[in-house]
Amino acid sequence: MKAARAGDEQRLGRADGHSRIRSIAVDRFDLRLSLQCGQVFHWVPEGDGYLGMIGEAPVYVRQVGGLLHCSAGDEALIHRYFALDHPLESICTSFPKDDAMNAAAAFCEGMRIIRQPLWECVATFITSSMKQVTHIAQISHTLRERYGEARTLRGRKLYAYPSAAEFAKLEETDLRACSLGYRAKTLLAAAKMVAAGEVDLDGISTMDDEAARKELCRLPGVGEKVANCVLLFAYERLAAFPIDVWIERVLVEIYFKGRRNVTAKRLRDFSHDYFGSYGGYAQQYLFHHARHAWPKKAKAPGKARSAVASKHVCEESGKE
DNA sequence: CTCCAGGTTCCGG
DNA sequence: CCGGAACATGGA
């Protein structure tokens, strides 16, 4: 592979004058998969790479085979953010050996669980409830553009995720205007608690998984599922196993097929025991595989809808 | 128009 | 502990 061309250096160059490109050798890492699997929502494709923020730092990363290209000075940040130190081979070896898990592991080769900033992760997953991945990203970008600090890289504007203190200064209507819906109230309340120090996100780092989950659930809008996402994607608790509608579908269809009385508690207990200490990785692989490789749910053909049934309903739209 | 999306909370058995 | 219902909004 050829080294980065001079043109790349120029385009990648930062305003501070340090425009040298560095290459990080990576093994068992897929940048695109790791950014597009639904664990983080703000990275945008740019050229052959991605543009995004790691905390307050605007970053451009590009993967070419086993090399990760970035600006000089960002290496350590990127190494940590993308969890290049996670023992991916051991992690995959630890997975249970069943057909569904094997297929998901093959489908998700190189996907890593990244280390996200605490509040950013808490807040984005508060906004995630009952939302499609694309819409979560949309909300994230709106919040950043309106209330985050701006940076420029490669001629593009990038915005940091607003801090809890910045959110705490807003009104609920401000957040509703970002199409947050009912999540505006809980996000604002959570921001105020964090800003006031009533919940200490940094302090949670030293708690065991159970205590940390319980503490996170004190935040409005944070239930067991969101807490597990935060534990997994921000606190590096790789055993945390978030159960959303997709994973529930997988569990019920694959591991509880035909069984009755499949309650939330049984799913939780089974997942904890079956997937083990790297359950979070197993969960993310199963999640991504199910979302992209499972057949779309066929519309129940029970009663054919009349083609003319709704003909006259939406005709008059000249209000105001 | 209908259906559903990386849920949480509150309420009654 | 368990099931239901309300809660907003925008794609498909």
Side-chain angles (χ1 to χ4, degrees):
Chain A
M1 260 294 116
K2 220 186 296 186
R5 298 158 303 175
D8 289 328
E9 282 197 23
Q10 265 189 333
R11 288 204 308 282
L12 285 162
R14 302 177 67 168
D16 59 17
H18 297 89
S19 57
R20 299 185 63 80
I21 300 305
R22 293 296 158 78
S23 299
I24 306 173
V26 292
D27 185 32
R28 300 167 203 280
F29 177 61
D30 188 316
L31 178 65
R32 185 191 63 83
L33 254 184
S34 301
L35 290 180
Q36 296 187 340
C37 67
Q39 62 176 327
V40 64
F41 305 95
H42 75 280
W43 291 85
V44 293
E46 163 82 8
D48 297 327
Y50 291 88
L51 211 42
M53 299 282 288
I54 299 180
E56 308 290 309
V59 167
Y60 179 69
V61 277
R62 185 168 67 96
Q63 179 169 24
V64 179
L67 291 180
L68 204 53
H69 300 299
C70 67
S71 297
D74 288 343
E75 303 96 313
L77 192 64
I78 282 173
H79 192 275
R80 171 166 179 75
Y81 185 77
F82 289 110
L84 299 179
D85 54 315
H86 281 178
L88 208 54
E89 185 172 14
S90 305
I91 289 169
C92 292
T93 303
S94 80
F95 291 158
K97 303 289 183 267
D98 63 67
D99 291 346
M101 193 66 244
N102 290 341
F107 190 73
C108 298
E109 214 169 308
M111 182 193 297
R112 284 173 188 264
I113 304 292
I114 69 176
R115 293 189 183 93
Q116 301 184 40
L118 304 183
W119 166 250
E120 176 180 326
C121 189
V122 170
T124 55
F125 277 95
I126 284 177
T127 68
S128 77
S129 87
M130 294 301 296
K131 281 290 182 192
Q132 289 185 350
V133 169
T134 54
H135 198 199
I136 300 168
Q138 210 172 306
I139 291 173
S140 168
H141 281 117
T142 303
L143 292 172
R144 285 170 179 272
E145 285 166 22
R146 294 198 187 173
Y147 303 112
E149 288 197 31
R151 298 280 193 282
T152 301
L153 186 61
R154 290 170 68 92
R156 307 263 179 187
K157 284 277 189 185
L158 295 177
Y159 299 86
Y161 200 86
S163 68
E166 287 169 305
F167 275 122
K169 290 186 288 192
L170 302 176
E171 303 290 331
E172 186 182 324
T173 52
D174 298 327
L175 294 178
R176 292 219 171 226
C178 301
S179 61
L180 278 177
Y182 64 86
R183 304 156 196 81
K185 186 191 292 286
T186 52
L187 178 58
L188 183 58
K192 286 180 175 171
M193 286 179 72
V194 171
E198 195 173 334
V199 167
D200 177 10
L201 295 184
D202 289 321
I204 290 176
S205 303
T206 59
M207 299 180 182
D208 62 63
D209 288 7
E210 207 50 53
R213 182 162 25 241
K214 191 176 168 191
E215 187 65 11
L216 285 169
C217 285
R218 289 181 54 218
L219 293 170
V222 177
E224 185 168 316
K225 188 269 172 183
V226 169
N228 278 326
C229 283
V230 175
L231 286 175
L232 180 58
F233 300 137
Y235 287 96
E236 206 184 349
R237 307 305 173 96
L238 302 184
F241 195 96
I243 298 179
D244 57 57
V245 291
W246 286 97
I247 284 299
E248 180 175 342
R249 214 167 281 160
V250 171
L251 294 175
V252 170
E253 287 299 312
I254 304 293
Y255 302 102
F256 286 81
K257 188 69 176 175
R259 237 179 289 181
R260 300 183 295 116
N261 301 326
V262 181
T263 66
K265 176 170 167 45
R266 291 197 180 179
L267 293 179
R268 171 159 48 90
D269 291 344
F270 167 79
S271 303
H272 177 80
D273 297 339
Y274 186 71
F275 293 103
S277 54
Y278 290 121
Y281 261 94
Q283 185 274 1
Q284 192 60 17
Y285 283 23
L286 289 168
F287 171 82
H288 188 254
H289 183 238
R291 259 182 19 105
H292 290 90
W294 278 36
K296 302 298 178 191
K297 201 170 14 172
K299 297 250 182 191
K303 25 201 147 191
R305 289 197 307 267
S306 163
V308 295
S310 59
K311 178 146 173 48
H312 65 284
V313 176
C314 298
E315 289 303 325
E316 311 190 8
S317 56
K319 51 167 68 171
E320 251 42 12

